[in-house]
Amino acid sequence: MSSGLSLGEYTALIEDEIFDFETGIKVVEKRGEIMQNYLPKGNGKMSAIMGMSEKDLEEVVDKVTEGFVAIANYNTKGQVVISGEEEAVLKAGELAKENG
């Protein structure tokens, strides 16, 4: 049994023969279309924050009051991804830098 993160999940499904490569390509293409069309073009952003505790980053995200930003993924200890509207993600990134 295989596992993966984000696009790696599809690689794992192909490796475990849940579906074939061609089906995997179609599924990943549809995923991309859905993600692209979720927000108005140019408005979405993601950022990996490294070296900050999850608790501290949660507090930083809560301080952003204009726009939308949220924790999107806990990648590994010390690396958490935030995502949302571009200006809110940038503001959270600035606050994260200011807070170590």
Side-chain angles (χ1 to χ4, degrees):
M1 187 167 130
S2 303
S3 65
L5 175 66
S6 192
L7 288 176
E9 295 169 7
Y10 301 98
T11 304
L13 291 168
I14 293 166
E15 177 66 24
D16 286 346
E17 298 179 349
I18 304 301
F19 47 73
D20 62 20
F21 180 78
E22 290 76 21
T23 301
I25 294 295
K26 290 176 185 173
V27 171
V28 169
E29 181 179 34
K30 186 64 177 176
R31 176 187 185 267
E33 287 176 21
I34 292 167
M35 291 178 72
Q36 182 67 36
N37 295 324
Y38 183 73
L39 289 173
K41 188 173 179 134
N43 193 28
K45 188 165 193 72
M46 296 180 84
S47 181
I49 307 295
M50 299 173 69
M52 179 174 250
S53 76
E54 293 171 5
K55 181 180 179 268
D56 289 344
L57 183 55
E58 289 166 0
E59 291 174 7
V60 163
V61 166
D62 288 343
K63 290 179 183 176
V64 178
T65 57
E66 291 188 34
F68 174 78
V69 62
I71 293 177
N73 198 41
Y74 296 89
N75 281 348
T76 63
K77 185 175 180 170
Q79 186 188 57
V80 179
V81 176
I82 58 174
S83 68
E85 295 173 319
E86 183 172 13
E87 291 301 317
V89 171
L90 292 172
K91 179 63 177 175
E94 290 172 14
L95 291 172
K97 284 179 185 175
E98 290 172 9
N99 290 282

